[in-house]
Amino acid sequence: MAVTSSGTATVTLPTDEQILITREFDAPRHLVYEAWTTPELVRRWWSANRGEVTIAEIDLRVGGVWRYVMVAEGGFEVAFHGEYREIVPNERIVSTEVYEGMPDAEALNTLTLTEPDGRTTLTILVQHASKDDRDAHIDSGMEAGMQDALDLLEQVAVSLR
Amino acid sequence: MNDLVRLLGLAQPQVSKHLRVLREVGAVDVRGEGRQRLYRLNGHALKPIHDWVKSYERSWSERFDRLDVVLEELKQKEEGDGSDE
C-alpha cells in the first residue's frame, strides 16, 4: 500500500512568544503517541531529512528527562533535551525543551493529539519566555534550510569537477 | 468595516484600532472615505514573515513525512496482530 501524505505542517505565531505547529495524520492517535514516545521509532523520523539521530533517550514520566542528538550532514552535531512536566497517554505531553547550543532559551512545549474520526490532529504549542528566544528558534530552521541549500550547492560543485 | 465587525464579533472601536495598525504597517490597503471604507489585504507586506517561517515549517513537514512512514508500518503491524488472534 502506498504511503499517503496527509498534508504539510502548518506553522503559525499566535503571540510574540509562541509557535504553533499543526499536522493531520491518517492514523489513530495511540499510534502517533507510540511513534512519538518510543526511542527506536523517534530515531527514524525526528531528523527530518537533515541527518541521522544518534541518540534518542526518553524517560517518559513526570520529572523524567528526554534527550535527542542528531548528526547533520558534514558531521555537525545538534542536541536537544528537556523534562516531562505532564503526561496524559495518547492525549497530551507537556515538556520543556532546550537547544544545547542556546542553553538559556528554554521553551515549554505542549503536544496535543485529538482523534475526531480515526484521523489524528497533532498540535505542538511552543511557549518561549521572550520574543527574542522565539525568533531565534525560528531562525534556527532558517539556518537548517540554508544548510540544505549549501549541501546541494556542494553536490552540484562536486558533480562539475 | 461593518462586515468585519459582524464576522469577528468584536466591537467596532476594536476593529478600527486593529485596522489602523494593519494600515500603518502596510498589511492592508484602504480605499474610500467617510462612511464606506474598503480594506484589502496586502500580501506583499506579509511575504517577509511567510518567508521567515517557511524554512522552519519545511523542516517540520519533512519530519512529519517520515513519521507518516512509521505510522503506516505501525498500522499494518496492528492489523496483522488483530488477524492472528
Side-chain angles (χ1 to χ4, degrees):
Chain A
M1 189 162 78
V3 174
T4 51
S5 174
S6 307
T8 54
T10 305
V11 173
T12 58
L13 308 175
T15 72
D16 278 353
E17 292 83 27
Q18 293 178 334
I19 306 168
L20 181 67
I21 302 144
T22 309
R23 168 69 140 78
E24 207 175 282
F25 292 92
D26 185 19
R29 67 178 174 178
H30 71 274
L31 294 183
V32 178
Y33 187 82
E34 184 181 341
W36 202 271
T37 56
T38 307
E40 306 88 82
L41 299 177
V42 168
R43 287 172 72 125
R44 291 181 49 196
W45 62 265
W46 188 77
S47 63
N49 299 334
R50 302 181 192 284
E52 193 191 339
V53 179
T54 50
I55 296 174
E57 293 167 343
I58 296 174
D59 182 11
L60 192 63
R61 59 195 170 90
V62 173
V65 169
W66 64 272
R67 185 166 188 263
Y68 301 165
V69 179
M70 178 179 89
V71 176
E73 309 285 334
F76 181 60
E77 196 176 82
V78 288
F80 297 79
H81 70 261
E83 187 185 300
Y84 295 106
R85 292 281 171 85
E86 191 187 327
I87 296 166
V88 183
N90 303 330
E91 278 179 36
R92 183 177 149 90
I93 298 175
V94 181
S95 60
T96 60
E97 175 175 358
V98 177
Y99 167 49
E100 294 179 8
M102 282 176 56
D104 294 335
E106 184 181 86
L108 189 69
N109 295 353
T110 303
L111 168 79
T112 309
L113 304 172
T114 55
E115 186 198 315
D117 50 7
R119 291 168 68 84
T120 300
T121 300
L122 174 151
T123 64
I124 307 163
L125 181 66
V126 181
Q127 177 72 55
H128 277 284
S130 71
K131 183 174 186 297
D132 283 351
D133 288 352
R134 194 278 310 267
D135 290 356
H137 186 149
I138 292 175
D139 285 342
S140 70
M142 188 91 112
E143 279 164 28
M146 273 298 291
Q147 194 57 48
D148 280 356
L150 293 172
D151 290 345
L152 280 174
L153 185 63
E154 189 181 12
Q155 283 171 23
V156 172
V158 167
S159 73
L160 292 174
R161 198 162 53 181
Chain B
M1 170 77 85
N2 290 336
D3 292 342
L4 285 172
V5 168
R6 190 165 39 78
L7 283 168
L8 296 169
L10 294 171
Q12 201 255 340
Q14 266 178 297
V15 174
S16 285
K17 196 174 150 189
H18 282 297
L19 282 172
R20 193 180 67 234
V21 174
L22 290 171
R23 204 175 60 223
E24 279 168 9
V25 299
V28 297
D29 296 324
V30 64
R31 200 151 54 83
E33 282 298 323
R35 292 173 63 85
Q36 177 113 14
R37 287 189 174 194
L38 292 173
Y39 291 87
R40 192 181 59 186
L41 195 63
N42 179 10
H44 287 294
L46 298 174
K47 191 168 183 298
I49 298 172
H50 177 75
D51 289 348
W52 179 52
V53 172
K54 199 169 60 183
S55 175
Y56 178 77
E57 190 173 76
R58 192 160 60 95
S59 66
W60 274 104
S61 286
E62 288 174 8
R63 222 172 236 183
F64 290 147
D65 287 347
R66 286 181 162 226
L67 184 51
D68 277 335
V69 177
V70 173
L71 288 172
E72 197 57 42
E73 283 183 23
L74 291 178
K75 266 162 71 175
Q76 284 180 6
K77 189 159 161 260
E78 202 170 60
E79 281 165 21
D81 289 351
S83 64
D84 288 345
E85 281 164 11

